[in-house]
Amino acid sequence: MSGVQIAADNLTKSYGQLEVLKGISLGARKGEVVTLIGSSGSGKSTLLRCLNLLETPTSGRLFLEGQPIEFRTTNGMVVESSTVRRYRASLGMVFQSFNLWRHMTALENVAAPLIHVLNVPRGEAADRAETALARVGLGDRAGHYPSQLSGGQQQRAAIARAIAIEPKVLLFDEPTSALDPELVAEVLSVIKSLAETGATMVLVTHEMRFARDVSDQVAFLNAGKIEEIGPPEQIFDAPKSERCAKFVSTVAH
Ligand code: ADP
Ligand code: MG
């Protein structure tokens, strides 16, 4: 597992009788971009939510920098809240719907997790937040409230919030799906620049051209399983699985 920043081993997740993830094994090495594609309902969001412990997996193992996450098994798996806090402080998550605080400026939104989760002193948190906002091209919008920003700018602020904590891994769940088409490119370009500067990422997207461009590995999920995983050239140009071939040919147009 050396060099692997985040990994899942035979991960399952059930809601009652419904088994949503059926034994997922996946890893992202330092600096790698792993992209999850697949139809709606195939389990992509659930996998990301398990990776950052927003959901507790039903069985299987998770590793951060090769270290297993400690699960207590009583009636199903349980993770201690101190473990969750420590673990989640190492991960940056970006959702489809930005999730910015409406009553805080962009700067305050980005600084908040630094202050409240990582106990960074306020002055230093503000400096780090400014740096993060500059990296996503929002250096001149720090004092703006979300309502004063476009959707693309709001999502870039959310990305700044995720990178400000200097996470070991960035997780993105359809970061451009809620955006007007003309705002998609600016957000993808920020994500690409982070990938190029060595960020480790697990990304869910329906932007197939972007996935091909930015990914080291692409995993095609079908009904809670990884049906096929490989470099983008394999998945998009020469998939081995018929289902994967059908999916990529449908979404490519
Ligand atoms: P995707 O992100 O690929 O569209 P999801 O991970 O959101 O897929 O969902 C996978 C399946 O899990 C769906 O059938 C969905 O209805 C089900 N599911 C997701 N979250 C829950 C939940 N909290 N309770 C019950 N079922 C859920
Ligand atoms: Mg989803």
Side-chain angles (χ1 to χ4, degrees), residues 91-172:
L91 302 174
M93 178 103 182
V94 176
F95 301 92
Q96 185 176 328
S97 52
F98 327 143
N99 297 356
L100 296 173
W101 299 105
R102 314 305 302 174
H103 64 289
M104 290 185 190
T105 63
L107 185 97
E108 289 164 348
N109 266 286
V110 177
L114 292 170
I115 296 165
H116 300 296
V117 182
L118 298 186
N119 299 317
V120 175
R122 278 173 190 275
E124 188 190 331
D127 289 346
R128 280 172 66 174
E130 265 182 45
T131 305
L133 284 167
R135 278 185 76 189
V136 301
L138 290 179
D140 58 348
R141 294 286 189 277
H144 286 55
Y145 288 89
S147 61
Q148 300 168 316
L149 300 172
S150 72
Q153 291 171 333
Q154 289 182 57
Q155 188 60 304
R156 286 190 279 142
I159 294 171
R161 179 179 55 188
I163 62 174
I165 65 167
E166 293 170 8
K168 299 187 191 339
V169 182
L170 280 167
L171 306 173
F172 292 88

Side-chain angles (χ1 to χ4, degrees), residues 165-187:
I165 65 167
E166 293 170 8
K168 299 187 191 339
V169 182
L170 280 167
L171 306 173
F172 292 88
D173 193 356
E174 297 192 31
T176 60
S177 294
L179 297 175
D180 292 334
E182 72 273 19
L183 302 177
V184 167
E186 66 188 65
V187 171

Side-chain angles (χ1 to χ4, degrees), residues 15 18 20 39-46 55:
Y15 296 103
L18 179 67
V20 172
S39 314
S40 174
S42 57
K44 305 178 300 294
S45 294
T46 305
E55 297 282 354

